[in-house]
Amino acid sequence: MDIANLTKQWAERMGPRSHVVVSSRVRQARNIERVLFPPHANKEDLRRVCELVNRLVHADATLHNFQRIDINTCTSLERAFLKESHIISPELEQAGEYRVLYLDQQRSCAIMVNEEDHLRMYCLQSGLQLTPVLKEINAIDALLSRSLKYAFSEKYGYLTSCPSNVGTGMRASVMLHLPGLAMTQQVEEIVKELPQRGLTVRGYYGENSEFLGDFYQFSNEVTLGKTEEQIIESLHKVVEQIIAKEEAAREALFEKKRPYVEDVIWRAYGLLVHARIMASSEAFKLLSPIRLGIERGYFPSFTHHDLNRLIVQVQPAHLQITEGETAGVEDRDIARARLLRAAFTGMDSHN
Amino acid sequence: MDIANLTKQWAERMGPRSHVVVSSRVRQARNIERVLFPPHANKEDLRRVCELVNRLVHADATLHNFQRIDINTCTSLERAFLKESHIISPELEQAGEYRVLYLDQQRSCAIMVNEEDHLRMYCLQSGLQLTPVLKEINAIDALLSRSLKYAFSEKYGYLTSCPSNVGTGMRASVMLHLPGLAMTQQVEEIVKELPQRGLTVRGYYGENSEFLGDFYQFSNEVTLGKTEEQIIESLHKVVEQIIAKEEAAREALFEKKRPYVEDVIWRAYGLLVHARIMASSEAFKLLSPIRLGIERGYFPSFTHHDLNRLIVQVQPAHLQITEGETAGVEDRDIARARLLRAAFTGMDSHN
């Protein structure tokens, strides 16, 4: 499989509210009745789930076009590449037998088989589009549920491996870019208020990942006792409030502390155009003010797509696939600096 | 007095060994017989010294052209400006009545009256030129000694306020730029060996000043029991050894760690071209790798003169004189970034 050409992504499109919202994602967790859930399943159980899903996908006119990737036949580098692209979860990256990914041609919807649950399916779109994304993933869920009998309880709803997903089995999340709130030290305050609204925050690569480049992933913590629509509505409302706060923070910064913000933006640009060695964590940190700069018209020839693409391209596995598997950390840091220099040099900028 | 036009300096010329040696300086400390030395002198003593020197300078065909600056009539900003330009010592910057400076038209020789000693005269030239500089200052000393009777002991030599200057009364110093030795952590080792050779090391602004931008000022500690020529010869020898080590360090860096050194050089350039706010300590730090880059041909349109000039121009008092006395720290940091951007933008560079 040529993993490296899996580049056409949600990131190429430009969704609503993209000045703050990078992407919206909804995923559903489902399990098949009378088959042990993955944490307790034996090989035969896992194989059976694969077979059931595979038969169904082949028979369905829509799902038929999904690309099948057997995770266990991927190298660890390819799996890392898929994780960096947000195509598979860190859980699926661990691999193991009978782990399969079905990916649609747009790279925006996917079904992961035998992750923590038998089925984890998601849809991802650019910008703030929770309701459309929910509809899309529910359409796929409906196709699957025609032939598969899900583990479901009248009292609790969908049953899942981890109690935290029981109920709707849904996790809706929104990736926000909050440089304004980060620069004005307001993120902590926002995060504090999340639990009482049934929400939580994670880093760029989900659970336990670092907060890099002022990117924050907000999602529902609660899956029980509410409908999918209620959860989405509540998340949407909070996101709109955060957007308003971020906009106000940016306005205040550019009005009252323009030299300071411009210093941050242009220093990042200066380093991206000139550095010869760059670690991925630094690249992430520097690309954040550039995204803010794009938004404010400092880089007219640069789009959010370009930036979304770069953020993924500078990740270690992506660079290793470009540079060759033998490339060590130092080679990658040099290649990363070269890639960024090429992307930013000669870029039209209102310097 | 228009202090700000005191810009034509030694720094405009290019002396030998300038890839490592910024400048060479020799100063002589002298006191007038039967007049209390400045630390114990009363106003009348100081006034008398001023008068004696002034009469002599006026009457002499050479010294006649020296510009007289009454330090006490200068504002503290003007005094800071003169210190930043290395025209007066930190001691003279403190001012007090009857402190006078005589400065030659090249701004390379000067006589300071009523500094720590009655007379402190120095000559400063670009590059490694200790012997010519010694000759120049000795010529001035000879002119003065024709009419002034110096405090002198057959046993000890010239008598000075501080015992550390007794004997020759001479301090010869060489400002070296050692980025190669600094990057390879060899400076400490060199410094350790200095005392046994009667030498010492100071920062960019002399005694107790910080080591900024990899600039190190090496000078003789011992003034007693050796002739001026012996001291100069010994300093010259050590400087040549340090130059050889610095050259070797640079060669090794560019041969074995080229991406690392180029990263340091180009990051500095990127920040100098793009930053919007910059403190003087950071500017100093960033200009150091640029000097190395000039030396290695990275910036063909930039000379050591340009860099010497910039190092002085970015100092606080220089910026305050350009920006107006009311400019606060923040205004200066913005003005400094603007000045550096203008100097480096559009500069021819082998990027």
Side-chain angles (χ1 to χ4, degrees):
Chain A
M1 176 196 44
D2 189 2
I3 284 282
N5 71 6
L6 289 183
T7 48
K8 210 172 154 235
Q9 285 174 47
W10 59 272
E12 298 296 317
R13 289 184 295 280
M14 182 93 159
R17 322 291 272 153
S18 64
H19 63 311
V20 178
V21 186
V22 179
S23 60
S24 302
R25 182 182 189 269
V26 176
R27 74 107 176 96
Q28 303 285 22
R30 301 286 184 261
N31 287 282
I32 294 168
E33 209 185 44
R34 288 177 215 280
V35 182
L36 284 175
F37 292 3
H40 296 280
N42 59 33
K43 274 191 198 178
E44 179 49 27
D45 297 321
L46 297 174
R47 196 200 55 74
R48 220 182 116 206
V49 173
C50 274
E51 201 184 287
L52 279 170
V53 176
N54 201 40
R55 203 180 305 154
L56 194 163
V57 167
H58 265 84
D60 185 274
T62 306
L63 300 178
H64 183 75
N65 293 317
F66 277 47
Q67 179 177 0
R68 177 187 165 128
I69 298 169
D70 282 89
I71 296 301
N72 222 34
T73 66
C74 294
T75 63
S76 63
L77 179 59
E78 288 171 331
R79 295 196 305 270
F81 181 97
L82 291 170
K83 190 204 73 175
E84 287 175 358
S85 305
H86 277 115
I87 289 176
I88 64 171
S89 60
E91 172 94 18
L92 205 64
E93 190 200 353
Q94 303 307 312
E97 278 186 291
Y98 302 112
R99 265 75 179 178
V100 177
L101 169 78
Y102 293 94
L103 185 62
D104 82 328
Q105 301 207 312
Q106 308 295 322
R107 324 285 179 221
S108 61
C109 288
I111 305 163
M112 295 185 281
V113 182
N114 290 327
E115 205 244 28
E116 190 182 284
D117 294 298
H118 290 147
L119 295 168
R120 286 277 180 111
M121 43 199 152
Y122 68 77
C123 184
L124 181 69
Q125 291 292 358
S126 176
L128 185 56
Q129 314 201 50
L130 284 168
T131 305
V133 158
L134 175 66
K135 279 186 186 157
E136 251 183 292
I137 200 59
N138 280 353
I140 290 171
D141 186 34
L143 291 178
L144 293 172
S145 67
R146 266 195 253 159
S147 316
L148 298 175
K149 210 160 158 48
Y150 289 151
F152 185 84
S153 136
E154 284 300 329
K155 188 172 172 194
Y156 297 115
Y158 294 106
L159 301 177
T160 54
S161 296
C162 177
S164 69
N165 292 307
V166 166
T168 59
M170 182 187 79
R171 172 101 51 214
S173 60
V174 178
M175 181 81 79
L176 302 186
H177 183 231
L178 306 177
L181 293 171
M183 281 189 210
T184 53
Q185 274 91 44
Q186 293 182 74
V187 175
E188 206 180 319
E189 187 186 312
I190 287 168
V191 167
K192 257 192 224 159
E193 290 172 10
L194 293 177
Q196 70 201 61
R197 297 167 182 233
L199 303 179
T200 188
V201 66
R202 297 187 166 93
Y204 195 77
Y205 283 107
E207 220 161 338
N208 305 321
S209 72
E210 269 182 285
F211 293 110
L212 286 170
D214 309 325
F215 290 102
Y216 301 86
Q217 195 177 303
F218 292 84
S219 64
N220 62 305
E221 183 79 82
V222 173
T223 53
L224 201 62
K226 284 186 177 183
T227 67
E228 291 172 335
E229 288 72 19
Q230 283 170 334
I231 292 169
I232 295 264
E233 198 190 311
S234 156
L235 178 59
H236 193 279
K237 214 161 133 185
V238 170
V239 167
E240 285 287 10
Q241 286 166 1
I242 298 175
I243 293 173
K245 282 184 189 170
E246 172 65 21
E247 284 170 345
R250 290 184 191 179
E251 276 313 309
L253 278 169
F254 278 93
E255 197 165 312
K256 292 172 199 152
K257 295 188 167 187
R258 181 174 287 268
Y260 165 73
V261 205
E262 292 193 336
D263 189 55
V264 173
I265 292 173
W266 288 113
R267 278 172 179 260
Y269 177 74
L271 292 174
L272 288 164
V273 176
H274 292 289
R276 265 32 183 189
I277 300 176
M278 192 170 288
S280 66
S281 57
E282 186 188 10
F284 232 110
K285 206 182 115 196
L286 297 176
L287 289 170
S288 169
I290 299 296
R291 194 181 203 277
L292 178 62
I294 290 171
E295 190 47 45
R296 305 292 297 204
Y298 288 82
F299 310 109
S301 67
F302 227 59
T303 65
H304 286 322
H305 313 173
D306 298 320
L307 200 96
N308 290 341
R309 203 183 306 117
L310 271 180
I311 283 184
V312 176
Q313 285 175 344
V314 298
Q315 301 304 319
H318 276 71
L319 277 168
Q320 222 168 343
I321 280 187
T322 325
E323 294 298 306
E325 286 212 36
T326 54
V329 174
E330 209 176 308
D331 300 322
R332 283 207 303 271
D333 287 353
I334 291 172
R336 181 177 296 111
R338 200 188 307 122
L339 184 150
L340 288 164
R341 225 154 58 236
F344 283 97
T345 300
M347 188 178 92
D348 194 14
S349 71
H350 287 167
N351 192 348
Chain B
M1 178 197 42
D2 188 2
I3 285 282
N5 71 6
L6 289 182
T7 48
K8 208 170 157 239
Q9 286 174 49
W10 59 271
E12 299 295 317
R13 289 185 295 281
M14 181 95 160
R17 322 290 273 151
S18 65
H19 64 310
V20 178
V21 187
V22 179
S23 60
S24 302
R25 183 184 188 268
V26 176
R27 74 107 177 96
Q28 302 284 22
R30 301 287 183 260
N31 288 281
I32 295 167
E33 209 184 43
R34 288 175 215 283
V35 182
L36 285 174
F37 291 2
H40 296 281
N42 60 32
K43 273 190 199 179
E44 180 49 27
D45 297 320
L46 297 174
R47 196 198 56 73
R48 221 183 118 206
V49 173
C50 275
E51 203 183 286
L52 279 169
V53 177
N54 201 40
R55 205 180 300 153
L56 193 163
V57 168
H58 265 83
D60 186 273
T62 307
L63 301 178
H64 183 75
N65 294 318
F66 278 45
Q67 179 178 359
R68 177 189 165 126
I69 298 169
D70 283 89
I71 295 300
N72 222 33
T73 67
C74 294
T75 63
S76 62
L77 179 59
E78 288 170 331
R79 296 195 306 271
F81 180 98
L82 291 171
K83 189 204 73 175
E84 287 176 359
S85 305
H86 277 115
I87 289 175
I88 63 171
S89 60
E91 171 94 17
L92 205 66
E93 191 201 353
Q94 304 306 313
E97 278 186 290
Y98 303 112
R99 266 74 179 179
V100 177
L101 169 77
Y102 294 93
L103 185 62
D104 82 328
Q105 300 206 314
Q106 308 295 321
R107 324 287 180 221
S108 61
C109 289
I111 305 163
M112 296 185 278
V113 182
N114 290 326
E115 207 244 26
E116 190 182 285
D117 294 297
H118 290 146
L119 295 167
R120 286 277 180 109
M121 42 202 154
Y122 68 77
C123 184
L124 182 68
Q125 290 293 357
S126 177
L128 185 56
Q129 314 200 50
L130 283 168
T131 306
V133 158
L134 175 66
K135 278 186 187 158
E136 250 184 291
I137 201 60
N138 280 353
I140 291 172
D141 185 34
L143 291 178
L144 293 172
S145 67
R146 266 194 252 157
S147 316
L148 298 174
K149 210 160 163 42
Y150 290 151
F152 185 84
S153 137
E154 285 301 329
K155 185 171 174 197
Y156 297 114
Y158 293 106
L159 302 176
T160 53
S161 295
C162 177
S164 70
N165 292 306
V166 166
T168 59
M170 182 188 80
R171 170 100 52 215
S173 59
V174 177
M175 181 83 77
L176 301 186
H177 183 231
L178 305 176
L181 294 171
M183 282 189 211
T184 52
Q185 273 91 43
Q186 293 182 75
V187 174
E188 207 179 319
E189 186 187 315
I190 286 167
V191 167
K192 256 191 226 159
E193 291 171 11
L194 293 177
Q196 70 202 61
R197 297 168 181 233
L199 303 179
T200 187
V201 66
R202 298 188 165 92
Y204 195 78
Y205 283 108
E207 220 162 337
N208 305 320
S209 72
E210 268 181 284
F211 293 111
L212 285 171
D214 309 324
F215 290 102
Y216 300 87
Q217 195 177 303
F218 292 84
S219 63
N220 63 304
E221 183 78 81
V222 173
T223 55
L224 202 61
K226 286 187 178 181
T227 67
E228 291 172 336
E229 288 72 18
Q230 283 171 332
I231 293 170
I232 294 266
E233 197 190 312
S234 156
L235 177 60
H236 193 279
K237 214 162 135 186
V238 170
V239 167
E240 284 288 9
Q241 286 166 1
I242 298 176
I243 292 173
K245 283 185 188 171
E246 171 66 20
E247 284 170 345
R250 290 184 192 179
E251 275 315 307
L253 278 168
F254 278 92
E255 195 166 313
K256 292 172 199 154
K257 296 189 165 188
R258 181 175 287 268
Y260 165 72
V261 206
E262 292 193 335
D263 188 56
V264 172
I265 292 172
W266 288 114
R267 278 172 180 260
Y269 178 74
L271 292 173
L272 288 164
V273 177
H274 292 289
R276 265 33 183 189
I277 301 176
M278 192 170 287
S280 65
S281 57
E282 186 187 9
F284 233 110
K285 206 182 114 197
L286 297 177
L287 289 170
S288 169
I290 298 296
R291 195 180 203 278
L292 178 62
I294 290 171
E295 190 46 46
R296 305 292 297 204
Y298 288 83
F299 311 109
S301 67
F302 226 61
T303 65
H304 286 322
H305 314 172
D306 298 321
L307 200 96
N308 290 341
R309 204 183 305 117
L310 271 180
I311 284 185
V312 175
Q313 284 175 344
V314 299
Q315 301 303 320
H318 275 71
L319 277 167
Q320 221 167 346
I321 279 185
T322 326
E323 294 298 305
E325 286 213 36
T326 54
V329 174
E330 208 176 310
D331 300 322
R332 282 208 302 272
D333 287 353
I334 291 172
R336 181 177 296 111
R338 200 188 307 122
L339 184 151
L340 288 164
R341 226 154 57 235
F344 283 96
T345 300
M347 188 179 93
D348 195 14
S349 71
H350 287 168
N351 193 349

